Amino acid sequence: MFTTFPAHYKDVLDWEWAQFKPYAHDLLSRDLNPETLSAWMQDNSDFSSMIYELRSRMHVATTVDTTDEEADRRYKAFMAHIFPEYMKVAFLLGKKLLESGLKPDNFDIPLRNIRAQVELFREESLPLQTQESELGTAYNKIVGAQTVEWDGEEKTLSQMMPVFQETDRARREQAWRLIEERRLADQDTLNELWVQFMGLRKTIAHNAGLQNYREYAWRDRQRFDYTPEDALAFTDAIEQVVVPAAARLSEKRRQQLGYDALRPWDTQVDPLGRDPLRPFSTVAVLAEKAETIFQQVDPELGEYFATMRRESLLDLDNRKGKAPGGYCTSFPVEGRPFIFQNAVGLQGDVRTLLHEAGHAFHNFERANLRYLQQRFSPMEFSEVASMAMELIAAPYLEASKGGYYADADANRARIDHLEGIIEFWPYMAVVVAFQHWIYTNHETATNPDKCDQKWNELWERFMKGVDFSGLEQYIPNRWRRQLHIFRLPFYYVEYGLAQLGAVQVWANALQDPAHALSQYRQALALGGTVTLPELYRTAGARLAFDVATLGEAVSLIEKTLESLER
C-alpha cells in the first residue's frame, strides 16, 4: 500500500505530473491477484480521489471569482497538464482491473462503468477535452460579467430578479427589456464560442468511432438504463400531459392579474397583488434557517448541514464577478460537499439551497462506500436526491417551525414551487429536444442562426400561455443563456426524470413521512452500486417516461395547489 502519498490536497496543490507519476507507476506495475486486490483498490481510490479533489477545488476557485487570474491560471494548467495524464492512467488502471478478471465486493455496476470508459477512451481526445473545459471557463466569464444599470447602480442580472416580483408592471417591463438587450449584446461572442464547442465535440465523437456526439454523450454519461428514444418519448408525454396544465396555470394567472395578455415580465409577480416574499435579509439568515429546517426533517441531515456551515463549505451570496447558477460539488479526500449559489433574497433562493443541500446529503450518505468508483451516482438519481429534499422540507418552511415564512406566506411559497414544477417540464422538453436535434444534425446546428430557428420551433411547441408579441427577437437568444447547452451537453433530461421521481417520493411522504425519508436515505447510501431503476425503486419511486406516471404526478400537484389556495 501507499505509505508516502499525501493526505491533504494542499500538500499537492502545486505538484507537477512528475510528482504524481511514481504513484501511478506503482499502481500500474503491481501484481494484481486476489491477495493484493483490496490494497490495490484502496490505493487506486485514494489516488483518484486526490485528483478529483484538486479538480473540484480549482474549479470552485474559478467560479467564486471569475476575475481571479491566478485561480484561472492554476485551473487551466491542471486541466492541460495533469488531468489528461491522469485520464491516461485511469484508462490503464481500468483496463488492468478488467483484464485481471477480479471482482471487488459490491462492484458490479462500477465495473460496468469502467468497461464503458475504457471502450470510449481515446488519448487523442484529451487535448480536445482540455480545450472544451477552457471554453466553458470563457463562457462563465462572459455571462458572469453581464450587468445593467438600474436605479443608479450597477446590478448583476441575478440581482435584477427581485424587480420581477414588484407590482409596478412598467418597471418590470423596463427591467425585462434591459436584461434581454444586455444578453443580446454578447450574442456574437457566444456564437463564436458555440462554433468552437461544436467543432471539438464532432472530433471527439469521430475519434471514438461513433456516428455522432449524441451517441458519444450517451455512453460518456453511462446511460445504460434508458435510450435517446426514451428521452424523446418523455418530451412527447410532457407535450400531452404537462403543456396543457402549464397553459391552465398561465390563464389562471392572467385572469387573476386582470390583464388582456400575460407577458414575460408578468410571470413572477404575485397574481393577487401582494407584496413580494422576502424570506431572508442576509445569507447568514438563509443558512441558519435552513439548518433548523433540516434538523426537523432529520437530525442527522441537520448535523450534516451544520458541519458545512462550521467548515465554510457554503458560498451563497451573489456578487459581481461570480459565475452564474448554483451547484454542489464534492471534495472526495476530505469527504465533504461544497454548495455554491447566487442568493439575492428571493423565495427561489430558499429552494435552491434546499435543492443543493439534497446533493450535499447524498455526498454524506454515500461516504460509507469504500471506493471512490462506488460513489459515482448517476445524475438521473442525484437530482432525485436534491429535488425530493425541496418537497420533503416544504412542511417546515413556516417561521413557527423555525423556517422563513408566516403560515400564509409559506403557502404562497409552496404554491410557487409546485407551479414551478409544472412550468419547468415544458421548458426542459425544449432544451432536451433542442440538444437531440443539435447533435443529430451537427453540421446544420454549428450555424447559430439555424439553432435560433430550431429553438423558435420548439418554443412554439412546448411553451404556451405567455404572449411574446413584438418580442420575438428575444426568444431565440434564450438558448445562449442556458449554460448546460454550452457547457454540459445532454445534462438536462436528468432534471425532468428526477423531478418525476421526486414527486413520487413526495407522494409517499404525504402518506408516511418517516418511511418515505427512510427509503430516500437508503437509496442515497447506495451511491452508484446498483442500476438506475433499482435506485428509484429503493427510494420508493419508478424511473418512468410515460403519460400515465406523468399524469399521476400532475394530478397530485394540481390537487395540492387547489388545497393550498383554499
Side-chain angles (χ1 to χ4, degrees):
M1 292 185 69
F2 288 157
T3 57
T4 61
F5 192 64
H8 197 276
Y9 82 95
K10 290 183 178 178
D11 298 328
V12 300
L13 194 58
D14 294 311
W15 276 22
E16 303 291 340
W17 177 249
Q19 292 161 284
F20 287 104
K21 191 172 181 179
Y23 298 98
H25 178 73
D26 179 14
L27 286 166
L28 290 169
S29 60
R30 273 191 227 172
D31 183 38
L32 192 54
N33 58 55
E35 288 71 35
T36 63
L37 177 63
S38 178
W40 185 87
M41 286 292 300
Q42 190 61 62
D43 286 347
N44 183 0
S45 178
D46 292 346
F47 182 74
S48 296
S49 293
M50 184 63 77
I51 296 293
Y52 278 102
E53 173 134 351
L54 282 173
R55 186 176 75 162
S56 189
R57 295 273 185 180
M58 291 180 183
H59 174 255
V60 166
T62 68
T63 60
V64 298
D65 183 0
T66 62
T67 67
D68 186 336
E69 295 182 0
E70 174 58 22
D72 185 58
R73 181 204 63 77
R74 190 192 295 273
Y75 182 56
K76 285 181 177 177
F78 179 84
M79 294 305 295
H81 304 299
I82 294 180
F83 198 70
E85 294 299 324
Y86 165 73
M87 292 301 291
K88 295 177 193 176
V89 169
F91 162 73
L92 294 172
L93 292 173
K95 190 175 179 184
K96 182 182 180 77
L97 178 60
L98 292 171
E99 290 176 348
S100 75
L102 299 171
K103 293 184 178 181
D105 291 340
N106 199 22
F107 213 75
D108 287 348
I109 299 302
L111 273 178
R112 180 196 69 177
N113 297 343
I114 290 169
R115 185 172 292 107
Q117 291 168 340
V118 167
E119 291 173 353
L120 202 60
F121 177 83
R122 298 293 185 276
E123 186 170 338
E124 62 269 29
S125 289
L126 293 176
L128 306 180
Q129 290 163 345
T130 298
Q131 293 175 47
E132 190 179 23
S133 175
E134 291 174 353
L135 289 178
T137 301
Y139 177 86
N140 273 355
K141 282 191 171 185
I142 293 166
V143 177
Q146 290 175 342
T147 62
V148 296
E149 186 173 332
W150 185 256
D151 289 342
E153 296 180 27
E154 184 181 30
K155 299 276 192 180
T156 68
L157 303 194
S158 292
Q159 288 168 341
M160 290 294 291
M161 292 304 104
V163 179
F164 297 107
Q165 295 184 350
E166 294 181 7
T167 55
D168 187 331
R169 196 183 194 197
R171 271 176 61 86
R172 297 200 307 270
E173 178 179 355
Q174 182 186 357
W176 190 91
R177 290 179 182 274
L178 189 64
I179 289 169
E180 295 304 319
E181 284 295 323
R182 177 62 188 87
R183 286 175 169 145
L184 275 179
D186 286 326
Q187 180 171 298
D188 291 343
T189 305
L190 292 174
N191 284 350
E192 292 173 7
L193 276 187
W194 180 249
V195 173
Q196 295 176 67
F197 271 120
M198 291 294 282
L200 288 172
R201 288 168 185 160
K202 179 180 180 180
T203 306
I204 288 169
H206 182 265
N207 287 348
L210 299 175
Q211 182 177 350
N212 56 51
Y213 188 79
R214 181 176 76 169
E215 190 176 350
Y216 174 88
W218 224 258
R219 298 188 189 189
D220 186 48
R221 295 197 174 278
Q222 298 177 352
R223 292 175 176 166
F224 300 105
D225 298 304
Y226 68 102
T227 65
E229 290 71 29
D230 289 328
L232 290 173
F234 188 47
T235 67
D236 291 340
I238 289 169
E239 182 177 22
Q240 184 173 337
V241 175
V242 189
V243 170
R248 289 194 292 272
L249 287 178
S250 292
E251 175 58 17
K252 181 180 72 174
R253 168 176 283 271
R254 185 196 67 77
Q255 291 179 12
Q256 289 174 325
L257 287 166
Y259 297 156
D260 292 336
L262 191 69
R263 303 288 269 167
W265 46 82
D266 299 327
T267 60
Q268 296 178 48
V269 66
D270 183 75
L272 301 181
R274 294 166 293 191
D275 289 335
L277 293 176
R278 294 288 183 261
F280 59 93
S281 55
T282 67
V283 293
V285 173
L286 172 65
E288 178 186 349
K289 290 184 179 296
E291 182 180 332
T292 302
I293 288 172
F294 295 135
Q295 290 284 358
Q296 293 175 88
V297 171
D298 182 276
E300 194 168 358
L301 298 184
E303 182 53 34
Y304 290 157
F305 193 78
T307 297
M308 297 185 71
R309 291 184 69 200
R310 287 194 301 269
E311 298 181 9
S312 300
L313 295 167
L314 306 170
D315 188 323
L316 307 181
D317 62 309
N318 173 256
R319 55 188 178 270
K320 184 181 178 182
K322 189 174 179 180
Y327 64 78
C328 177
T329 190
S330 64
F331 302 144
V333 175
E334 296 295 311
R336 293 288 189 264
F338 175 87
I339 291 176
F340 169 101
Q341 75 174 92
N342 281 275
V344 292
L346 303 179
Q347 64 198 67
D349 297 326
V350 173
R351 286 204 306 275
T352 296
L353 185 54
L354 299 178
H355 177 102
E356 300 303 343
H359 286 308
F361 299 153
H362 200 177
N363 275 280
F364 280 110
E365 291 284 273
R366 64 191 176 195
N368 65 300
L369 296 165
R370 183 175 181 184
Y371 305 126
L372 176 68
Q373 296 86 349
Q374 294 172 307
R375 298 177 221 139
F376 290 139
S377 305
M379 292 310 302
E380 294 85 350
F381 184 74
S382 293
E383 294 299 339
V384 174
S386 56
M387 292 176 170
M389 182 48 57
E390 295 178 54
L391 292 161
I392 291 171
Y396 306 98
L397 290 173
E398 291 95 337
S400 60
K401 298 177 181 176
Y404 301 91
Y405 306 103
D407 289 356
D409 287 344
N411 272 3
R412 283 178 61 189
R414 292 186 67 188
I415 288 168
D416 183 71
H417 179 196
L418 294 174
E419 289 181 343
I421 292 174
I422 289 178
E423 291 162 353
F424 169 73
W425 270 314
Y427 179 73
M428 183 229 80
V430 174
V431 175
V432 169
F434 184 65
Q435 297 211 66
H436 281 260
W437 172 81
I438 288 169
Y439 295 109
T440 55
N441 297 273
H442 204 111
E443 297 302 324
T444 301
T446 300
N447 182 340
D449 291 338
K450 298 297 184 182
C451 290
D452 288 352
Q453 293 172 20
K454 187 63 179 181
W455 184 267
N456 273 338
E457 174 189 322
L458 292 169
W459 190 270
E460 177 66 24
R461 177 183 169 193
F462 290 102
M463 304 299 288
K464 308 291 187 182
V466 178
D467 182 7
F468 275 81
S469 299
L471 307 169
E472 292 84 358
Q473 72 271 27
Y474 298 115
I475 294 175
N477 196 47
R478 286 178 166 245
W479 68 270
R480 294 175 182 84
R481 61 190 264 196
Q482 188 61 57
L483 67 86
H484 301 79
I485 292 172
F486 277 77
R487 300 204 59 200
L488 300 165
F490 284 102
Y491 179 18
Y492 214 70
V493 71
E494 291 93 335
Y495 291 124
L497 295 173
Q499 188 67 80
L500 183 53
V503 171
Q504 293 174 74
V505 172
W506 170 54
N508 296 338
L510 293 175
Q511 301 301 317
D512 187 341
H515 183 59
L517 185 65
S518 174
Q519 289 180 307
Y520 168 83
R521 291 191 61 184
Q522 287 172 30
L524 300 193
L526 289 172
T529 60
V530 300
T531 66
L532 182 59
E534 190 171 346
L535 285 170
Y536 272 69
R537 283 195 295 272
T538 303
R542 185 171 72 87
L543 179 67
F545 313 88
D546 61 291
V547 167
T549 307
L550 195 56
E552 290 174 5
V554 170
S555 177
L556 173 61
I557 292 170
E558 290 189 319
K559 288 177 181 177
T560 306
L561 284 170
E562 291 175 8
S563 175
L564 290 169
E565 287 165 352
R566 283 198 301 269

